[in-house]
């Protein structure tokens, strides 16, 4: 049997596949089902101290494309393929007092599985920094194996919370440092992808003492407008606000973000998130240097916690290791990061000899040029 186990930020995982912080991990019942299904770890739905009330109506919908044609819509219909999830769900609406005994209960029942607590507070004053420390102490005393600091929730009006922390390199350092002052377990930082060079915020988080960085959370986005009703496909009384895009559509975007970080910090630990449903998807993140990956959208659409997704991920990795045993690849670390150095500046990509030059017009999506230059 292939060895899927791995060590990441000092924690031992039976496999590198985690459920991301989201509806699949919003309750003890879900997390227990996830561990029974075979996930190596879970990150809890983000826990905070402020009261949370979600919008009226659905919090998440799924955007699907017609299999033959261009129509994109959230209306569920046959002959379509999933493109993305779109959500405007806030962090957990359960209190810390609700979560702590449940974290304790889950860890007692599954001591070998890795339970990471996602936490979030503000950052505008000392009281908020103290809130981060209270959350840290609470969840680690309850038995959480590690922390994930949410610097990435895209739908926050408060300028000192969520992705607004992840957009400010000083806050990234200051909050991470405050948490590290009291943390006895590894601290991961989940950064927003909505900045121009995420390596800047990663550097600031590492400077604050982060043990690992996770990305991506969902990308800021709007639902489409229905051409018949002229209403946003998701709205409350006609109004919408910026929400987050996840699922297949964000994988290339998220890989680009991950590459910016793993190239800048090849020796640091990264957890890849965005669009993952199969081992082939996870492999792209591993080859860029990630030591674990996390899944949300695909799990939501698979009995809420992804029993088939985790089965496919584990079987895919076992088959990949079998196929590549002759290369001496027996574990994730044997192939992790192998394609990290292939992402280079555009000017470093080889140009053709003049005689071969067709200006890129010999590819799908381009018309044949009116006149072809020949030498
Ligand atoms: C409905 C929903 C709720 C989410 N809630 C959280 C959250 O509380 N904390 C967090 O860090 N990320 C949250 N996320 C982001 C996911 O953890 C994940 O980063 C994102 O969905 C990208 O992964 P995916 O492409 O596999 O969906 C949420 C995502 C969705 C769809």
């Amino acid at each position: 049997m292939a060895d899927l186990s791995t060590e990441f930020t000092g924690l031992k995982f039976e496999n590198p596949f985690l459920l991301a912080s989201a509806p699949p991990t919003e309750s003890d019942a879900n997390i227990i089902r996830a561990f029974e299904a075979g996930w190596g770890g879970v990150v809890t739905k983000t826990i905070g101290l402020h009261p949370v009330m979600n919008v009226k109506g659905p919090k998440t919908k799924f955007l699907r494309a017609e299999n033959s044609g261009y129509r994109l819509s959230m209306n569920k219909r046959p002959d379509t393929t999933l493109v993305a999830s779109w959500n405007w769900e806030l962090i957990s609406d359960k209190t810390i007092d609700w979560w702590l005994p449940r974290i304790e209960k889950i860890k007692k029942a599954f001591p070998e599985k890795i339970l990471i607590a996602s936490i979030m507070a503000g950052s505008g004053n000392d009281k908020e920094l103290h809130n981060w420390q209270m959350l840290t102490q609470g969840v680690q005393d309850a038995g959480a194996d590690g922390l994930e600091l949410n610097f990435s929730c895209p739908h926050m009006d408060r300028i000192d919370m969520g992705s607004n922390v992840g957009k400010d390199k000083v806050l990234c350092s200051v909050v991470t440092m405050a948490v590290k002052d009291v943390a006895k377990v590894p601290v991961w930082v989940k950064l927003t992808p909505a900045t121009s060079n995420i390596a800047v915020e990663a550097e600031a988080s590492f400077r604050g003492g982060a043990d690992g960085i996770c990305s991506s959370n969902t990308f800021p986005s709007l639902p489409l407008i229905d051409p018949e009703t002229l209403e946003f496909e998701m709205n409350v009384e006609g109004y919408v606000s910026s929400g987050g895009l996840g699922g297949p559509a964000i994988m290339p975007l998220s890989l680009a973000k991950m590459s910016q970080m793993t190239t800048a910090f090849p020796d640091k630990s990264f957890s890849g998130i965005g669009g993952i449903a199969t081992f082939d998807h996870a492999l792209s993140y591993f080859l860029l240097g990630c030591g674990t990956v996390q899944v949300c959208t695909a799990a939501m659409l698979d009995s809420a916690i992804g029993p088939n997704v985790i089965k496919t991920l584990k079987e895919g990795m076992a088959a990949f290791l079998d196929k590549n045993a002759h290369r001496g690849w027996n574990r994730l670390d044997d192939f992790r990061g192998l394609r990290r150095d292939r992402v280079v500046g555009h000017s470093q990509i080889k140009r053709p000899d003049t005689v071969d030059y067709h200006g890129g017009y010999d590819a799908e999506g381009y018309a044949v040029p009116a006149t072809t230059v020949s030498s």
Side-chain angles (χ1 to χ4, degrees):
M1 187 55 195
D3 182 5
L4 308 189
S5 70
T6 197
E7 195 171 318
F8 181 76
T9 63
L11 298 171
K12 288 191 172 39
F13 290 80
E14 66 179 48
N15 64 62
F17 307 117
L18 282 72
L19 276 179
S21 173
T25 63
E26 70 181 5
S27 66
D28 47 330
N30 274 12
I31 294 172
I32 287 168
R33 277 178 64 213
F35 282 155
E36 285 168 352
W39 291 95
V42 306
V43 184
T44 67
K45 175 83 188 158
T46 301
I47 305 165
L49 293 174
H50 298 78
V52 170
M53 190 186 290
N54 276 293
V55 298
K56 195 169 147 188
K59 295 174 285 183
T60 309
K61 282 196 178 178
F62 300 93
L63 185 67
R64 294 182 168 90
E66 260 171 24
N67 289 341
S68 46
Y70 285 108
R71 184 161 153 65
L72 281 173
S73 172
M74 287 173 167
N75 295 326
K76 217 173 168 189
R77 56 216 199 282
D79 297 323
T80 53
T81 301
L82 177 74
V83 172
S85 60
W86 188 86
N87 88 89
W88 53 1
E89 176 177 296
L90 299 173
I91 65 170
S92 177
D93 51 15
K94 311 280 197 309
T95 64
I96 179 86
D97 293 336
W98 185 91
W99 273 103
L100 293 183
R102 285 166 175 83
I103 290 175
E104 210 172 323
K105 180 181 93 178
I106 299 165
K107 270 311 290 181
K108 280 211 175 99
F110 296 91
E112 303 297 320
K113 298 274 192 179
I114 300 294
L115 180 61
I116 305 292
S118 169
I119 57 171
M120 181 203 271
S123 55
N125 52 47
D126 285 351
K127 182 163 176 283
E128 288 295 348
L129 292 181
H130 182 62
N131 284 345
W132 281 101
Q133 296 183 324
M134 272 171 53
L135 286 162
T136 299
Q137 279 163 329
V139 295
Q140 76 187 3
D141 289 350
D145 298 294
L147 303 167
E148 188 180 88
L149 314 188
N150 184 336
F151 294 176
S152 53
C153 179
H155 16 265
M156 303 248 66
D157 287 349
R158 275 183 63 150
I159 55 158
D160 70 331
M161 261 191 172
S163 60
N164 292 325
V165 177
K167 287 175 189 167
D168 183 324
K169 62 181 180 181
V170 175
L171 290 181
C172 287
S173 278
V174 168
V175 174
T176 309
M177 236 184 284
V179 168
K180 283 293 284 187
D181 269 351
V182 296
K184 299 182 198 127
V185 293
V187 174
W188 306 354
V189 165
K190 185 167 175 182
L191 286 175
T192 176
T195 65
S196 57
N197 182 4
I198 195 170
V200 170
E201 293 81 34
E203 197 271 333
S205 306
F206 285 132
R207 204 159 5 97
D211 299 286
I213 306 277
C214 316
S215 184
S216 292
N217 201 315
T218 51
F219 284 68
S221 51
L222 288 178
L224 303 189
I225 297 177
D226 184 309
E228 294 304 320
T229 63
L230 306 189
E231 297 291 350
F232 285 97
E233 284 199 316
M234 216 157 149
N235 70 78
V236 176
E237 295 172 357
Y239 289 92
V240 70
S241 84
S242 178
L245 197 75
I250 71 164
M251 186 151 62
L253 306 172
S254 180
L255 287 175
K257 295 285 164 188
M258 194 44 83
S259 161
Q260 284 183 319
M261 294 191 287
T262 59
T263 309
F265 305 102
D267 300 326
K268 297 285 191 184
S269 298
F270 295 95
S271 188
I273 321 172
I276 298 168
T278 69
F279 178 71
D280 291 356
H281 302 155
L283 182 60
S284 289
Y285 286 95
F286 292 144
L287 290 173
L288 286 178
C290 292
T292 58
V293 291
Q294 305 182 25
V295 177
C296 167
T297 298
M300 287 181 79
L301 291 171
D302 173 27
S303 305
I305 57 106
N308 296 301
V309 174
I310 181 59
K311 189 164 174 282
T312 307
L313 285 166
K314 284 167 57 181
E315 286 174 0
M317 183 166 173
F320 179 82
L321 287 174
D322 274 355
K323 194 172 78 183
N324 290 291
H326 65 280
R327 298 175 138 135
W329 297 355
N330 302 312
R331 323 185 62 225
L332 171 53
D333 271 345
D334 296 331
F335 60 92
R336 192 171 63 77
L338 282 185
R339 290 293 174 264
R340 183 174 39 220
D341 298 340
R342 296 290 180 92
V343 184
V344 295
H346 196 279
S347 58
Q348 287 170 262
I349 304 290
K350 186 174 187 280
R351 266 55 180 170
D353 296 334
T354 318
V355 69
D356 293 332
Y357 188 66
H358 303 296
Y361 284 97
D362 42 5
E364 187 182 9
Y366 290 87
V368 177
T371 53
T372 311
V373 181
S374 60
S375 61

